[in-house]
Amino acid sequence: MAKAFYSVGFWIRETGQALDRLGCRLQGKNHFREQLSRHRTLMNVFDKAPSVDKGAFVAPSASITGDVNVGRGSSIWYGCVLRGDANSISVGAGTSIQDNALIHVAKSNLSGKVLPTVIGDNVTIGHSAVLHGCTVEDEAYISASATVLDGAHVEKHAMVAPGALVRQNTRIPSGEVWGGNPAGFLRKVTEEEKAFFSSSAVDNSKLAQAHAAENAKNLDETDFKKLLYKKNARDTEYESLLNELNLPLPESVPKAA
């Protein structure tokens, strides 16, 4: 029955998009080429549907499929893929999964276990990182291009260095930095790094709010604002937003008069 409802819903949506494109052509408009896309940010797999908190940000080009839960204030950035088909993915509150990261689950592995992927609160997952059937506790930090495999467990305030490969069933204790291929202990996490783990998650959550506001604007409003923004300059509205987020203006960009 669920499959039948899914098929009916799919064809209704396809028909609606086709009618919208036809109407745009009759009006002589090409806006539909930018406004409409066959890409679906949230997609169920039969009876497995994503659950995303209203306070979370999911970029338009991200893909969240199947049994995936995203908590309040978390951000799923551009190009990310969270695929919870064979098992579940849980993302806590205030967590940032940055551009092009891939989160998947384990249907089967050498030990015969079926493993979900569990990510805690205020975690930062760096650009192009890969997490597969593993657990990452609160306020841990997974650096860019790192890979964490089935059954691995990254404890609170632990850090995986850029490009590291954490092998299956590896446990990274709290307060340690691991790196290399395969990953091994490098050193202890400093107090400054622990503070950065927390602030990084908060800063990304605030920045995600700005991106969510921009993505909510329609095409006409966006095109109009483009006319107001001069090349290599920022307007007072954008500068005010950066100040609210405590982010510095680039030195090469002059402040608005």
Side-chain angles (χ1 to χ4, degrees):
M1 182 63 72
K3 187 174 182 180
F5 279 122
Y6 175 85
S7 298
V8 171
F10 173 82
W11 287 113
I12 289 175
R13 294 184 67 183
E14 288 291 306
T15 302
Q17 288 200 3
L19 289 173
D20 190 275
R21 290 193 293 269
L22 175 60
C24 285
R25 287 193 180 99
L26 292 175
Q27 290 182 311
K29 296 180 179 180
N30 289 318
H31 285 353
F32 73 92
R33 297 185 185 278
E34 295 188 45
Q35 288 179 308
L36 296 180
S37 170
R38 296 181 68 87
H39 170 77
R40 280 176 285 173
T41 302
L42 304 179
M43 189 176 76
N44 61 308
V45 178
F46 299 132
D47 60 334
K48 298 178 180 180
S51 175
V52 179
D53 189 275
K54 292 181 180 179
F57 167 70
V58 179
S61 59
S63 295
I64 300 180
T65 304
D67 189 1
V68 181
N69 184 77
V70 179
R72 184 172 183 81
S74 289
S75 51
I76 314 298
W77 291 89
Y78 304 93
C80 288
V81 175
L82 281 71
R83 182 156 61 93
D85 44 10
N87 211 316
S88 64
I89 297 173
S90 175
V91 179
T95 287
S96 172
I97 301 178
Q98 298 181 0
D99 310 66
N100 296 321
L102 170 63
I103 315 295
H104 195 218
V105 292
K107 182 177 181 180
S108 61
N109 55 26
L110 293 176
S111 61
K113 294 181 179 179
V114 181
L115 300 171
T117 295
V118 180
I119 303 171
D121 299 338
N122 300 318
V123 174
T124 297
I125 308 296
H127 306 83
S128 300
V130 177
L131 274 64
H132 198 276
C134 59
T135 298
V136 181
E137 293 186 4
D138 299 349
E139 297 182 16
Y141 194 97
I142 310 298
S143 301
S145 300
T147 300
V148 186
L149 294 179
D150 303 2
H153 194 119
V154 182
E155 294 185 359
K156 184 175 182 178
H157 289 150
M159 177 180 179
V160 178
L165 173 62
V166 180
R167 293 184 296 182
Q168 292 186 4
N169 302 317
T170 299
R171 192 177 190 95
I172 300 180
S174 176
E176 294 187 1
V177 180
W178 282 45
N181 183 358
F185 173 77
L186 297 179
R187 58 178 175 81
K188 291 288 187 178
V189 173
T190 66
E191 291 302 318
E192 291 77 9
E193 286 172 331
K194 286 183 181 180
F196 172 74
F197 295 166
S198 299
S199 64
S200 173
V202 172
D203 289 344
N204 277 302
S205 180
K206 291 180 179 179
L207 186 58
Q209 296 173 21
H211 281 256
E214 285 296 317
N215 280 288
K217 296 176 181 178
N218 60 46
L219 186 63
D220 291 333
E221 183 180 358
T222 302
D223 285 343
F224 176 72
K225 283 214 166 187
K226 285 179 182 177
L227 298 176
L228 301 180
Y229 294 163
K230 296 180 180 179
K231 186 178 181 180
N232 296 325
R234 307 291 179 102
D235 70 347
T236 54
E237 177 186 349
Y238 192 84
E239 182 179 336
S240 173
L241 177 60
L242 291 180
N243 289 333
E244 289 178 7
L245 300 179
N246 294 318
L247 298 175
L249 282 169
E251 293 182 1
S252 59
V253 178
K255 292 187 176 181

